[in-house]
Amino acid sequence: MRTLHLNAFLMGVGHHEAAWRHPRSQPARIADVRHYQELARIAERGRLDSVFLADGLALAGKVRHNALGGLEPLTLLVALAAVTEHIGLIATVSTTYNEPFHVARKFASLDHISGGRAGWNIVTSAGEAEAANFGVERPPHATRYARATEFLEVVTKLWDSWEDDAIRADRAAGEYADLRRIHEIDHAGEHFTVKGPLNTSRPPQGHPLLVQAGSSEDGKEFAARHAEAVFTAQQTLQEAREFYADLKRRLPAHGRRPEDVLVLPGISPIIGSTEREARALERELDELVIPAYGLAQLSHLTGLDLTEQHLDGPLPDVPAETEGAQSRRKLVVDLARRERLTVRQLLSRLAGGRGHRVVAGTPEQIADQLQEWFTEGAADGFNIMPPLLPSGLEAFVDLVVPELRARGLFRHEYEGRTLRANYGLPRPPSRYAPVA
Amino acid sequence: MRTLHLNAFLMGVGHHEAAWRHPRSQPARIADVRHYQELARIAERGRLDSVFLADGLALAGKVRHNALGGLEPLTLLVALAAVTEHIGLIATVSTTYNEPFHVARKFASLDHISGGRAGWNIVTSAGEAEAANFGVERPPHATRYARATEFLEVVTKLWDSWEDDAIRADRAAGEYADLRRIHEIDHAGEHFTVKGPLNTSRPPQGHPLLVQAGSSEDGKEFAARHAEAVFTAQQTLQEAREFYADLKRRLPAHGRRPEDVLVLPGISPIIGSTEREARALERELDELVIPAYGLAQLSHLTGLDLTEQHLDGPLPDVPAETEGAQSRRKLVVDLARRERLTVRQLLSRLAGGRGHRVVAGTPEQIADQLQEWFTEGAADGFNIMPPLLPSGLEAFVDLVVPELRARGLFRHEYEGRTLRANYGLPRPPSRYAPVA
């Protein structure tokens, strides 16, 4: 039977932008590894598929009103690997400001260290502030995706450069590795020239899991060709179903089946033992929102300067569609128009999840929402974004997960030892291995 | 009283190039994180200052006859941080094939995760095989050092970009950070343009410890200006004293005192409970050496193609000095001439430590050697390179360390919680902080 896949999306002391101001959070723990280790253990106790860390390569002036300045995701995930045994570990790493040799090696190392639990969320870094930390002009959208495509090709070639049986460790003969099974990749392309082989042996999963989160046209095509899981922001069941169907429809053209890619919308569950309690928590967080911060975030999400916007009027008349570069803008503009929100109301709606869906309710009500999207063709699972951490993750694991299990929608025990095994995805063979 | 500083230089299953063939090693553990975690725990049990990981960015065809293909050092050190509390964690990272923003952030993250135990061994990556993995021609020696100098400037600016008291976390006022204490670095130089600030807060040590290992003229000048610890390969007391004095003599010109930089020669101790037992182990390892591998290594160390060299004749007449690029060549050629070694004998002498000193003996004899160099102005401590791992590190910690303690040469307990504290080095202030 088809069951849900659930990731714990970890972000500082919570996904709500005012989480750090709430008495139930501890903002001093933002760079404290033990905080994240505790979160990973909670998620593993609930048998969630993985923990996931987003990333950006600039501070971008947002730290005055939010708890930022934490740890680099790949580095942090190793510390989480050390205190867990089963849960997957997915880090965001940019293809625009990195070299494929380093990225291949670091994920291969994380995969070895974790016994096959690594996943890579591939992003192309749209921000201007990021470009300024690497001494370049921000490349155009299409260039970033072209580079990402070639980057991924190089990385997977490097992961394949040691065949699975390359190591012989024959002490008597003095032969450690069979050089016929270790390959130079001799990649020479538009963006990269890489000889190889990698200097780390093949990762336990063959390839760490490939995850993608872009919802633009280029993003969806990239996901349809390469991704094995897709994180996405969707506000309504109808839009989520359209996105889901669109993505799955693109797969056959690339020789892939619908079950080869899992679609996982984000959701921020505000959980109370009664609906009234959930609403009260939602209101508490809402009252801690700082409008100036919200306007800066809104400007960032839409790519428009809205920092001087009047709070109690409607969103100005801006085009929802752009040339594919700002898929989040359409979501935000559609949301404001559909629900006739003032700017202040819009900021509240976005404060919980930066465009991801926020649902307040009892564990049963949250489970209802997850079940509906899952059975109505809108999701294969969810990226869980607790408003407060650790308390919101604890509430999800201790209250919602049992409810999902009672409905037969979620596992009681892990299926396997690797992230791929728990996602039900195959282990890719090396492209250089002889065909059996 | 002045005491020794000791690092455990970890390398696969041992520093001897035939370690993997010896029955006391387990070559299958080369990519097994638990192997390295066990080594770190042993070193910490002995109260050693740190563990150190070398690195290169290419496999370079050496894997047929040696156990390679292990884990990326910075990634691995996080896993060692998770199972230790006091020991320093020093990783090698190249300035030639990286971006300063990433390197600053990863070391800052490791420093946070380890509670102030991170150190960076700065290398410039001389190999041609490394350049081929990054799509460039190998830059000339001087260019690599010029880039390294600017790279380090950018990295330390980024570490300083958050002042120590930048985080206010004032929930009532909604002010997380004081923006007057977080600085754009606005670096614009020959090699890098980086705006900053870093998106990870200031590391606990201010700056992770800076380590350097080049012994060329450029390398020594770089060390004298920037390094706080210098790893070096020295074969004789006289040469080691000259190197030590040379380096310390360069410091005043850069406003630094002799005690601001620790000089740590490498030594591979082959330990037996009797001298006879130590010699027997040395011979066992020697007999496992593969001449073809040794010749390839010799060619790599000297930058000369010696792969077809006749084994039972002398080293051909090659110039010992080069233009500063190959300081290891001089060491090797001097060694062969001084001791009138055949090529086969030279290979044996190099097999233990790639040019580092190898000493076989009882714990007392090893301690005598360390004491002599320490008291005779040749060393502030040592980089310990056990021939076999873990057994050689266990022998050092269990047999040599007690002997050093009995002589008053080594600590019984750690002085502090950070690598800097244990090295007796100060914590640098942020360059952007107001002068008190």
Side-chain angles (χ1 to χ4, degrees):
Chain A
M1 185 186 150
R2 180 171 168 259
T3 51
L4 284 166
H5 295 282
L6 298 174
N7 298 312
F9 182 172
L10 308 184
M11 177 163 285
V13 294
H15 278 272
H16 196 285
E17 67 187 34
W20 73 274
R21 299 186 68 193
H22 193 276
R24 219 184 288 169
S25 78
Q26 295 183 273
R29 303 190 74 185
I30 208 79
D32 181 349
V33 66
R34 292 164 300 186
H35 169 62
Y36 300 95
Q37 289 176 328
E38 182 187 338
L39 296 175
R41 285 199 192 96
I42 294 167
E44 185 165 86
R45 190 176 84 212
R47 308 290 184 259
L48 269 57
D49 292 74
S50 62
V51 295
F52 161 58
L53 298 168
D55 198 38
L57 296 169
L59 198 59
K62 294 187 289 187
V63 72
R64 181 171 177 201
H65 296 308
N66 204 350
L68 301 172
L71 306 165
E72 192 277 324
L74 256 178
T75 310
L76 177 53
L77 281 187
V78 181
L80 305 191
V83 299
T84 54
E85 284 181 33
H86 288 90
I87 198 160
L89 306 158
I90 303 176
T92 299
V93 171
S94 168
T95 54
T96 299
Y97 304 114
N98 274 299
E99 288 285 337
F101 192 88
H102 291 312
V103 171
R105 192 168 175 226
K106 283 175 191 293
F107 275 106
S109 297
L110 176 63
D111 209 45
H112 278 291
I113 287 171
S114 63
R117 298 188 278 140
W120 173 23
N121 179 38
I122 305 160
V123 300
T124 67
S125 303
E128 282 183 42
E130 298 180 285
N133 286 331
F134 297 90
V136 296
E137 293 287 311
R138 179 177 57 161
H141 192 260
T143 307
R144 292 203 311 275
Y145 270 95
R147 180 180 164 108
T149 300
E150 191 183 332
F151 195 111
L152 186 61
E153 184 186 341
V154 177
V155 167
T156 54
K157 282 177 176 172
L158 288 167
W159 285 336
D160 288 345
S161 64
W162 292 53
E163 295 181 36
D164 288 316
D165 55 357
I167 298 172
R168 293 173 43 85
D170 184 337
R171 287 169 153 164
E175 186 184 31
Y176 179 72
D178 180 351
L179 290 191
R180 292 167 306 178
R181 305 212 180 280
I182 298 180
H183 305 270
E184 292 181 355
I185 70 167
D186 284 326
H187 179 91
E190 193 181 342
H191 297 88
F192 304 105
T193 302
V194 180
K195 186 171 180 189
L198 195 60
N199 56 352
T200 294
S201 59
R202 194 149 200 264
Q205 293 187 104
H207 299 174
L209 191 79
L210 301 176
V211 181
Q212 207 264 351
S215 294
S216 67
E217 180 59 30
D218 283 341
K220 283 189 279 196
E221 262 312 287
F222 186 90
R225 282 177 64 188
H226 304 295
E228 299 170 295
V230 174
F231 297 158
T232 180
Q234 302 292 337
Q235 285 283 337
T236 68
L237 176 60
Q238 187 193 326
E239 285 170 349
R241 291 181 64 183
E242 284 166 13
F243 178 85
Y244 186 98
D246 178 12
L247 193 73
K248 302 269 178 171
R249 202 182 300 121
R250 293 168 190 255
L251 298 173
H254 305 292
R256 307 181 76 198
R257 302 163 306 167
E259 61 268 35
D260 292 342
V261 185
L262 303 176
V263 176
L264 308 171
I267 180 168
S268 180
I270 302 183
I271 303 165
S273 55
T274 62
E275 189 174 338
R276 186 192 173 113
E277 200 181 295
R279 293 282 167 212
L281 175 56
E282 185 173 40
R283 206 160 43 242
E284 275 171 37
L285 287 164
D286 199 28
E287 284 165 5
L288 295 172
V289 165
I290 298 164
Y293 180 83
L295 287 173
Q297 283 287 94
L298 183 61
S299 302
H300 177 72
L301 282 178
T302 59
L304 304 164
D305 182 3
L306 302 170
T307 51
E308 301 296 318
Q309 206 58 38
H310 184 58
L311 290 172
D312 294 310
L315 197 65
D317 193 22
V318 296
E321 301 278 2
T322 64
E323 306 157 42
Q326 284 282 348
S327 48
R328 198 64 65 91
R329 181 199 292 188
K330 176 163 162 40
L331 181 150
V332 169
V333 174
D334 285 352
L335 169 66
R337 289 190 186 149
R338 188 172 59 241
E339 307 194 13
R340 299 170 194 268
L341 302 174
T342 64
V343 170
R344 190 188 300 276
Q345 287 167 330
L346 180 62
L347 294 187
S348 292
R349 291 294 299 274
L350 295 175
R354 304 173 307 283
H356 287 276
R357 191 163 65 125
V358 179
V359 177
T362 64
E364 295 72 26
Q365 289 171 325
I366 304 289
D368 289 346
Q369 289 290 320
L370 301 182
Q371 182 165 14
E372 183 183 35
W373 283 40
F374 181 61
T375 55
E376 296 293 321
D380 297 309
F382 297 90
N383 215 6
I384 306 300
M385 304 165 58
L388 290 167
L389 288 166
S391 62
L393 183 61
E394 281 181 314
F396 186 84
V397 161
D398 294 338
L399 304 174
V400 181
V401 164
E403 181 65 30
L404 295 170
R405 284 190 186 135
R407 302 181 189 190
L409 291 171
F410 193 61
R411 68 168 68 85
H412 289 262
E413 289 301 332
Y414 286 107
E415 291 83 4
R417 293 299 299 251
T418 69
L419 178 53
R420 287 185 173 278
N422 290 317
Y423 264 29
L425 294 168
R427 181 180 189 277
S430 167
R431 75 193 69 196
Y432 302 107
V435 178
Chain B
M1 186 188 148
R2 180 171 168 260
T3 51
L4 285 166
H5 295 282
L6 298 173
N7 298 313
F9 183 173
L10 309 184
M11 177 164 285
V13 295
H15 278 272
H16 195 284
E17 67 186 35
W20 73 274
R21 299 187 68 193
H22 193 277
R24 220 183 288 169
S25 79
Q26 296 183 273
R29 303 190 74 186
I30 209 77
D32 182 349
V33 66
R34 291 164 299 185
H35 170 63
Y36 300 95
Q37 288 176 327
E38 182 187 339
L39 296 176
R41 285 199 192 97
I42 294 167
E44 185 165 84
R45 191 176 84 212
R47 307 292 183 257
L48 269 55
D49 292 74
S50 63
V51 295
F52 161 58
L53 297 169
D55 197 38
L57 296 168
L59 199 59
K62 294 187 289 188
V63 71
R64 181 170 177 202
H65 295 308
N66 204 350
L68 301 171
L71 306 165
E72 192 276 326
L74 257 179
T75 310
L76 177 54
L77 281 188
V78 182
L80 306 191
V83 299
T84 54
E85 284 182 34
H86 289 90
I87 198 160
L89 306 158
I90 303 175
T92 299
V93 171
S94 169
T95 54
T96 298
Y97 304 114
N98 275 298
E99 288 286 337
F101 193 88
H102 290 312
V103 171
R105 192 168 176 228
K106 283 174 191 293
F107 275 106
S109 297
L110 176 64
D111 209 45
H112 279 291
I113 287 171
S114 63
R117 298 189 279 139
W120 172 24
N121 178 39
I122 305 160
V123 300
T124 66
S125 304
E128 281 182 41
E130 298 181 285
N133 286 330
F134 297 90
V136 295
E137 292 288 310
R138 178 177 59 162
H141 191 260
T143 307
R144 292 202 312 274
Y145 270 95
R147 179 178 164 111
T149 299
E150 191 183 332
F151 195 111
L152 185 61
E153 185 186 342
V154 177
V155 167
T156 54
K157 283 176 176 173
L158 288 167
W159 286 335
D160 288 344
S161 64
W162 293 53
E163 294 182 37
D164 288 318
D165 54 358
I167 299 172
R168 293 172 44 84
D170 184 337
R171 286 169 153 163
E175 186 182 31
Y176 179 72
D178 180 350
L179 290 192
R180 292 166 306 176
R181 305 212 180 280
I182 298 181
H183 305 270
E184 292 181 355
I185 70 168
D186 284 326
H187 178 92
E190 192 181 341
H191 298 90
F192 305 105
T193 302
V194 180
K195 186 171 180 189
L198 195 61
N199 55 353
T200 294
S201 59
R202 193 151 201 264
Q205 293 187 103
H207 299 174
L209 191 79
L210 301 176
V211 182
Q212 206 264 351
S215 295
S216 67
E217 181 59 29
D218 284 341
K220 283 187 281 195
E221 261 313 285
F222 186 90
R225 283 177 62 189
H226 305 295
E228 299 170 295
V230 174
F231 296 157
T232 180
Q234 302 293 335
Q235 284 283 335
T236 69
L237 176 61
Q238 187 194 326
E239 285 169 349
R241 292 182 64 183
E242 285 165 14
F243 177 86
Y244 186 97
D246 178 13
L247 193 73
K248 301 271 177 170
R249 202 181 299 123
R250 293 168 190 254
L251 298 173
H254 305 292
R256 306 181 75 198
R257 301 164 306 165
E259 61 269 33
D260 291 342
V261 185
L262 303 176
V263 176
L264 308 171
I267 181 169
S268 180
I270 303 183
I271 303 164
S273 55
T274 62
E275 190 175 336
R276 187 190 171 115
E277 198 181 297
R279 293 282 168 211
L281 176 57
E282 185 174 40
R283 208 161 40 242
E284 274 172 37
L285 287 164
D286 199 29
E287 284 165 6
L288 295 172
V289 164
I290 297 164
Y293 180 83
L295 287 172
Q297 281 287 93
L298 183 61
S299 303
H300 177 72
L301 283 178
T302 58
L304 303 164
D305 182 2
L306 301 170
T307 50
E308 301 296 319
Q309 205 57 38
H310 184 59
L311 290 171
D312 295 309
L315 197 66
D317 193 23
V318 296
E321 301 278 1
T322 66
E323 306 157 44
Q326 285 281 347
S327 48
R328 199 63 64 91
R329 182 199 293 189
K330 176 163 162 39
L331 180 149
V332 169
V333 174
D334 285 352
L335 170 65
R337 289 191 188 150
R338 189 172 58 241
E339 306 193 12
R340 299 168 193 270
L341 303 175
T342 65
V343 170
R344 191 188 300 275
Q345 288 166 330
L346 180 62
L347 295 187
S348 292
R349 291 295 298 274
L350 295 175
R354 303 175 307 284
H356 287 275
R357 191 164 63 126
V358 178
V359 177
T362 64
E364 295 72 27
Q365 290 171 326
I366 304 289
D368 289 345
Q369 289 291 318
L370 301 181
Q371 183 166 13
E372 183 183 34
W373 283 40
F374 181 60
T375 56
E376 296 291 323
D380 297 309
F382 297 90
N383 217 5
I384 306 300
M385 304 165 58
L388 291 167
L389 289 166
S391 61
L393 183 60
E394 281 181 313
F396 186 84
V397 161
D398 294 338
L399 304 174
V400 181
V401 164
E403 181 64 30
L404 295 171
R405 284 190 184 133
R407 301 182 188 188
L409 292 171
F410 194 60
R411 69 168 68 84
H412 288 262
E413 289 302 331
Y414 285 108
E415 291 83 4
R417 292 299 300 249
T418 68
L419 178 54
R420 286 185 175 278
N422 290 318
Y423 264 30
L425 294 168
R427 181 180 188 278
S430 167
R431 75 193 68 197
Y432 301 107
V435 177

